[in-house]
Structure formats: structure tokens, C-alpha cells
Amino acid sequence: MTLSVDAAPDQDRKGPGRPRSARVDEAIVEAVFELLSSGQSADAISIEAVAAKAGVGKATIYRRWPNKEALLIDAVLAMKGPGPELRGESVRDDLVTLIAAMRNKRMEHYGKVTACLLPELFKSSEMTRVYQGVVEPRREMMRAVLRRGIATGELRADLDVEMTLLVLSSPTLAQNMLRWNLNVPDENFAENLVDFVLRGAGA
């Protein structure tokens, strides 16, 4: 389904004190998602195609993003969404919450899109740096949970935090994007993964 914005070509131009239209922003980003989901690679997508899909003019996009790379970065940000709220009472429960947030319907919807976007994001060191900045806040949330677990004695004192972070995140991404192992059920995925990792990480 194509999102369309019924606006005159310059209707959303920013004037003094006038914010740009969030509805137009969302339509443009969603157009990127739809083009990727339809099978186009990130490299093949053009600003012209995004504009046509979103129902806006090219100038509308260029007033918001200087180039396609900047638009793709904002698309990644839109997919990630805000981080979940953690209760801070149990390391296991907080880890389950973080993994489940990566496996919700929103991320399931965007799994294929993410797989198409990643090659584009790692084509240059600058794009890699920007992408790392996008995902780092979510990683830091998980690091904080692991460090807290070490401090409270819930986790081993010699736990390698970065390796544990990788072990928790990688299977989640693989299942989201590639359906890597069809023998691993979606039901209780977060709980099963966290419990599996904690058998070796627990104090």
C-alpha cells in the first residue's frame, strides 16, 4: 500500500517559526520501507522513486535530507523506535524485556527492510560510524543491565560484558532478518535465549 500525501508541492516548506510536517516525514520514510520490502536494494533506490512512492516532490525530500544516505539513517532510527522501559529489579527480566523489544511485531515487520539496509550502511567508514551511533543507545541499555548484575552478584564477577552482549543480540538479529533456524520457535524466544545465556553467565 502506498502512502500518499495530498499536499501542494511547497505546502510543507518551513517558514519562520513553522515546524515541518511530521506526516510528510513519516510518509517519506515509509516509502523507503515499502521500496525495500518490494525487493529493491538500498543501492538501487533513488530519491525520485521515494518521492513518487510517498506522493511528494523531490524538493520536499531534499529540504529534509541532504542525500539518500542521510535518509537511510533516519529510516534506521525510525525502525528502532524508543527503547523499552526496564523495571531494574531482575537482570533476567530486564534482559528478556530488551530481547522481546527486538522481536516484537514492529521489528518483525522491518526484518526484511533491515536486511536490505545493512549492506548500504556498511559501504563506508562514515556510514558505519553513523550506524553504530544509531544502535549504541540500545546496546548501552543492555550493558547497564549486565553491569548491574555483576555488581549485585546475579552474574559472574568475571563476565565478559561485550561478548555476552554479542551472544544475546546476534541470534535475535539472525532470526529477525533471515529466519536463520526454523527449528527455533518464536514463542518464548526471548525467555529461552536469556535463560540459555544465563546458564553460563549466572553467578
Side-chain angles (χ1 to χ4, degrees):
M1 181 180 70
T2 301
L3 281 179
S4 170
V5 178
D6 299 320
D10 288 328
Q11 183 175 334
D12 63 315
R13 183 185 297 275
K14 292 171 64 178
R18 180 183 179 185
R20 74 191 199 188
S21 168
R23 180 168 175 258
V24 174
D25 290 4
E26 292 169 3
I28 293 169
V29 171
E30 187 63 30
V32 174
F33 295 153
E34 292 190 13
L35 289 169
L36 289 169
S37 296
S38 70
Q40 292 193 41
S41 68
D43 192 48
I45 291 175
S46 65
I47 292 295
E48 290 81 359
V50 174
K53 184 65 111 173
V56 301
K58 285 196 301 181
T60 298
I61 296 178
Y62 281 119
R63 281 196 296 272
R64 289 162 163 76
W65 294 278
N67 50 48
K68 186 177 74 172
E69 288 73 20
L71 174 56
L72 292 177
I73 289 295
D74 270 8
V76 173
L77 283 167
M79 285 191 296
K80 292 294 181 184
E85 291 188 13
L86 303 179
R87 299 182 64 179
E89 299 172 357
S90 160
V91 167
R92 178 190 181 273
D93 290 349
D94 284 352
L95 290 177
V96 168
T97 297
L98 286 167
I99 297 300
M102 299 170 66
R103 293 280 296 168
N104 59 23
K105 290 296 182 183
R106 175 190 182 87
M107 297 313 297
E108 181 180 321
H109 173 66
Y110 290 132
K112 183 177 180 181
V113 176
T114 304
C116 294
L117 271 174
L118 286 179
E120 183 79 8
L121 294 173
F122 287 97
K123 280 186 175 179
S124 71
S125 58
E126 177 63 15
M127 290 295 287
T128 300
R129 184 190 64 79
V130 174
Y131 174 75
Q132 293 295 333
V134 169
V135 299
E136 187 60 23
R138 192 68 64 92
R139 286 183 189 148
E140 189 55 35
M141 291 181 70
M142 191 174 291
R143 285 191 191 100
V145 172
L146 295 172
R147 290 169 184 149
R148 190 186 80 229
I150 295 171
T152 61
E154 293 175 78
L155 301 178
R156 291 167 41 182
D158 63 346
L159 182 71
D160 185 327
V161 170
E162 294 302 320
M163 186 61 70
T164 305
L165 177 67
L166 184 63
V167 171
L168 284 166
S169 302
S170 299
T172 308
L173 294 173
Q175 289 296 96
N176 280 357
M177 292 189 293
L178 305 173
R179 299 295 299 154
W180 189 265
N181 189 341
L182 296 178
N183 294 320
V184 175
D186 288 333
E187 186 177 2
N188 299 322
F189 177 88
E191 291 85 350
N192 292 336
L193 175 61
V194 170
D195 288 341
F196 179 82
V197 173
L198 288 183
R199 289 189 192 107

